[in-house]
């Protein structure tokens, strides 16, 4: 039986890893830029949208990587 750790990610997975990393970097930058601004952490703010998109992208990446054997 091949474990998840022995599998090689496909080209689609590498693209998702890059997208997740880029979204995470933007979310962190927006976090530091918006410190001290109460509107930056309001529901629906740009920072929260990027944080949510990062988690969704990471979740999709996890499932695309698991499908390869």
């Amino acid at each position: 039986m091949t474990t998840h750790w022995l599998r090689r990610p496909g080209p689609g997975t590498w693209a998702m890893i890059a997208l997740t990393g880029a979204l995470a970097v933007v979310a962190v930058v927006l976090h530091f830029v918006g410190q001290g601004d109460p509107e930056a952490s309001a529901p629906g703010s740009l920072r929260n949208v990027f944080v949510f998109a990062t988690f969704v992208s990471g979740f999709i990446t996890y499932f695309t990587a698991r499908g390869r054997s």
Side-chain angles (χ1 to χ4, degrees), residues 24-37 40-41 46-48 50-51:
V25 168
V26 171
V28 169
V29 168
L30 287 174
H31 171 74
F32 283 112
V33 168
Q35 281 186 333
D37 182 12
S41 61
L46 191 61
R47 181 188 76 180
N48 289 343
F50 272 95
V51 168

Side-chain angles (χ1 to χ4, degrees), residues 8-24 53-54 57-58 60-62 64-65 68:
R8 299 178 63 108
T13 302
W14 284 115
M16 289 301 299
I17 290 170
L19 175 64
T20 303
L23 287 171
T54 302
S57 180
I60 292 170
T61 303
Y62 172 74
T64 60
R68 304 277 307 171

